[in-house]
Each structure stands twice: as C-alpha cells, then as structure tokens.
Amino acid sequence: KQTKEDGKDTGAYVFADKVLVPVTPVKDQAKSGTCWSFSGTAMAESELLRRGKGVYDLSEMWIVRHTYLEKAIKYARLHGKANFSEGGTLDDVVYIVDRYGIVPETVYSGLKDGASRHSHEELSVALKAYTDAVIGNPSKRLSASWIDGLNGILDAYLGPCPEKFVYDGKEYTPKSFAQELGIRRDDYVVLTAMTHHPLYTAFPLEIPDNWNWSPFYNVTMEELGRIVDVSLRKGYAVNWASDVSENGFGFREGRAIVPVESAAEIPPADSARWKGLTDDEIRKRTLLKTGVLPERQITPEMRQQAFDRYETTDDHGMLLVGIAADQHGRKFYKVKNSWGETGLYKGYFYASEPFLLYKTVGIQVHREAIPQDIKDKLG
C-alpha cells in the first residue's frame, strides 16, 4: 500500500511487468557457490522455450563437475598461481556444453546419500587441498595419475558421469543430447563496458572467477543497456553477472537500486517528486531497505571507479527475464535468481536501470539479439 507525505513516497515499490521472456521454474543453488551454472543453464532453458523445443530441466551439476576438472588442470598448469574456487563466469556453461555435452537433471543431479540440497563446502576444500598437494609434491613432476585422483574426488561427491542415458524413450550420449538441443557456444557473446580497454575490442576481463580467460567484448555503458533492452524485447533472456554487495540491493524486499546518498544528489528531473526528502531519511531508508528512493545518475567514470576500487566485483550470476516499471514509470529489470522460491517475489526481484548500468560486470546474450549497428562496430 502506498502512502504519501510532503510529496514523498513512504510505502513500498510497486512493479508492473511490461516485457517477459519465457523461463523455467526457479531453482536453488543452496550451499554452493555455483550461481554462474544456474544462470547459464537457466538461459539455455529459456532459449529452448523461445525456440519451441519445450520445457527442459538441465543439470547444473554436470556443468559444475566438468568445470572443476578444467579449473584444476588450468590451476596445475599455472603452478597454483591462479584462482581455484567454486566461482565461474558467464561463458562457462556453453564452454562446457561444447566440450562435454549436457544431460537432464534427472540423469545427473549431483546429489548423493539422500541429500535434497547442494552443499559444496567440503568438496571445494578437498579439491583445492588435493590439487595443491599434487602441485607441491617433492618430485616437482606431475604423474599421469593425478587427474584420475581428481576425478575420484568428483565422483565421490557428485557422482560418476554417465556415458549414455535414456530420455523420453531415446538413448543419448551427453554430446548427442546437446546437439539435438542445439546449444552452441558460438551462438553467444559476452560483453562488458569498461574504460580501461579500447571500445569494440575483446579482452579477458580481469576478474578472479574468469579462470578460463574468456573474452568480453567492450561497448559503451549506454550500448550495454541498449543490448539488454533489445534482447529482452526480442524474447531472449540475458545472462547477467553483477555485484550484489551494495546497501541498495535488497533481495528479500524485491528490489535492487542505487539510492542517492544525500538530498543534494537528487537529479533535477526528480526534484519536485522528492521535495522535502532529508539526508537522514535517505540514510534510514537505505539502511533499512524501506520506502521508495531517488537514484543516482550513473556515468561510465562511476562504473570504472567502482570496478577499480573493488566496489563492483563478480559477486553473483542471475538471469534477466523482463522489463518492468515502478509506480513512477521508472525502468526496472525483472531478475530470476537461484536462491529458491524465496523473497518477496518467490525467487525473483527487480533491479533498477541505474543498478544495472552501475553494477553490471558483464552480460551474455545471443548474437542475434545484438543490434546490427553494434555488431558492425564489433566486427
């Protein structure tokens, strides 16, 4: 319910969906740092719906298991001088599908011993300790057996990988299943908007979880937002890597915003609407995540500074599934999360346009969703 006081909204946000792409049900990554796998498979599932292939529930843990293997090999080749953790990035799901195929959730859940929820704390510690021990062995040489040992750990915690399986009465291998679904890495492009690299070039974005040195194409901040809008309006979901550590992020409250820090920051266009809003009220609402607030105007310089200061980090992977508006007509994006059907909107929340422009680390989109003029600039 909305209440008003001196022209200021003192109630909650009210959102109206304007554009929605097809999506599968919300899932739960539980106690695993594998959001990137959930967002990437959610994007693939949405794409299968868009193409009329039907509803599929793909295995996130199939992707996670093979990513752990690839990460460990890369980590060993770099003599342990790299990041080796649960995290991943936007390109990882389609990269793994290209190399190892994909299977349904019913074929490979990654759950053992009657478990109903994922928990990878022990697994990630065991993998890191084992790989560090192999790298640091006194002989200074790696045997041909160390990967067998690594696979033994993965089998013990996530289960052995099937070579063949039956789905809907037909026998598949993981690769033949991926081919039938038509999931191809070449169909997707990863983009960012940074000023420390030239525009319209591709570079490995310097984030810890980009273990595979995946290339990000660099566009302007405005173009990044435009690509998101065009993709969603064309019916394509957008894989989204973002920072979620700001005070303006409130999943339980169902919104992510970039509130002004003082009344002096209120944009001129919003000054009449927020007349009388005090600095104390702004601080209180931001801290408690209550009430509607004006937001900062985002610039490319602000984006870059937040990235360089570690204020914007690759915290979380999610799926952008729609465009919405709040009660003032301000643009928001509907986001599918992977924390189960929790929060105000049962697994979804709404991120404002300023939040998206400011806190986005990168996006992954289908190449057909990119506007032609931007494609031309990217070559």
Side-chain angles (χ1 to χ4, degrees):
K1 183 179 178 181
Q2 295 298 300
T3 59
K4 294 212 177 258
E5 177 184 307
D6 297 329
K8 307 184 296 292
D9 279 290
T10 56
Y13 283 86
V14 177
F15 299 109
D17 295 335
K18 305 296 184 181
V19 174
L20 291 174
V21 302
V23 292
T24 52
V26 171
K27 302 182 187 179
D28 187 5
Q29 69 185 77
K31 293 183 178 180
S32 74
T34 59
C35 55
W36 51 273
S37 182
F38 282 81
S39 66
T41 53
M43 182 178 185
E45 291 168 359
S46 176
E47 178 62 8
L48 292 170
L49 286 170
R50 186 194 68 81
R51 289 164 44 210
K53 300 282 282 187
V55 179
Y56 284 86
D57 183 1
L58 301 177
S59 169
E60 292 83 14
M61 291 305 130
W62 174 270
I63 301 295
V64 169
R65 189 209 191 284
H66 289 93
T67 303
Y68 267 133
L69 174 65
E70 293 268 328
K71 280 184 195 173
I73 293 171
K74 185 76 162 278
Y75 184 69
R77 284 182 176 145
L78 294 173
H79 299 234
K81 304 295 194 269
N83 187 47
F84 184 31
S85 67
E86 294 180 82
T89 192
L90 295 162
D91 189 51
D92 287 356
V93 168
V94 288
Y95 170 78
I96 294 298
V97 171
D98 260 15
R99 291 175 72 88
Y100 300 96
I102 187 66
V103 301
E105 176 74 11
T106 52
V107 171
Y108 195 85
S109 68
L111 296 168
K112 294 190 66 181
D113 304 322
S116 60
R117 302 180 77 239
H118 301 294
S119 179
H120 288 187
E121 293 104 324
E122 189 174 305
L123 170 61
S124 61
V125 170
L127 289 170
K128 178 72 162 51
Y130 172 80
T131 309
D132 281 339
V134 167
I135 294 169
N137 81 83
S139 74
K140 304 298 183 184
R141 296 178 62 186
L142 301 188
S143 73
S145 301
W146 83 271
I147 293 178
D148 292 337
L150 184 77
N151 277 319
I153 296 172
L154 290 167
D155 286 350
Y157 281 91
L158 300 176
C161 295
E163 294 183 5
K164 295 180 181 180
F165 61 92
V166 175
Y167 184 77
D168 271 355
K170 183 177 177 180
E171 186 175 83
Y172 295 94
T173 67
K175 285 197 171 184
S176 70
F177 191 61
Q179 288 169 357
E180 179 158 312
L181 296 183
I183 302 171
R184 296 171 359 104
R185 186 187 188 194
D186 286 347
D187 288 336
Y188 298 93
V189 181
V190 179
L191 303 108
T192 190
M194 298 294 176
T195 62
H196 69 289
H197 284 277
L199 283 172
Y200 314 119
T201 61
F203 65 96
L205 185 60
E206 305 94 330
I207 51 177
D209 286 335
N210 191 12
W211 62 273
N212 204 25
W213 306 334
S214 295
F216 285 61
Y217 281 88
N218 203 25
V219 296
T220 68
M221 181 183 77
E222 292 77 14
E223 287 170 333
L224 193 76
R226 185 174 156 223
I227 291 168
V228 170
D229 287 352
V230 171
S231 296
L232 292 170
R233 292 187 187 281
K234 285 185 174 181
Y236 295 88
V238 178
N239 197 2
W240 183 42
S242 176
D243 182 281
V244 294
S245 62
E246 301 287 324
N247 285 334
F249 178 81
F251 175 67
R252 290 184 179 180
E253 296 75 21
R255 93 292 185 274
I257 60 173
V258 188
V260 296
E261 295 177 354
S262 68
E265 281 190 321
I266 297 174
D270 289 334
S271 59
R273 179 183 301 155
W274 302 103
K275 181 181 178 181
L277 188 64
T278 67
D279 290 357
D280 284 343
E281 287 176 296
I282 290 170
R283 282 191 290 271
K284 182 178 179 181
R285 291 194 199 179
T286 301
L287 181 64
L288 299 178
K289 296 181 173 63
T290 58
V292 182
L293 281 166
E295 297 193 55
R296 301 174 70 187
Q297 291 183 305
I298 310 303
T299 66
E301 293 75 22
M302 288 170 61
R303 264 186 60 82
Q304 186 68 40
Q305 185 179 76
F307 181 77
D308 290 340
R309 289 179 173 179
Y310 306 158
E311 294 167 0
T312 294
T313 60
D314 56 328
D315 285 350
H316 196 34
M318 299 155 283
L319 194 69
L320 299 173
V321 300
I323 301 172
D326 71 359
Q327 61 264 47
H328 295 300
R330 298 183 299 180
K331 187 191 295 182
F332 278 74
Y333 296 92
K334 191 169 188 176
V335 185
K336 181 185 179 185
N337 204 357
S338 55
W339 295 345
E341 294 185 355
T342 57
L344 188 61
Y345 299 108
K346 305 299 180 184
Y348 292 86
F349 70 94
Y350 292 87
S352 71
E353 184 173 37
F355 190 92
L356 180 121
L357 295 176
Y358 187 37
K359 295 280 101 178
T360 294
V361 174
I363 60 172
Q364 182 188 45
V365 299
H366 196 286
R367 63 173 60 251
E368 294 303 320
I370 302 175
Q372 188 59 50
D373 62 307
I374 299 177
K375 280 187 187 178
D376 293 341
K377 293 176 184 178
L378 296 172

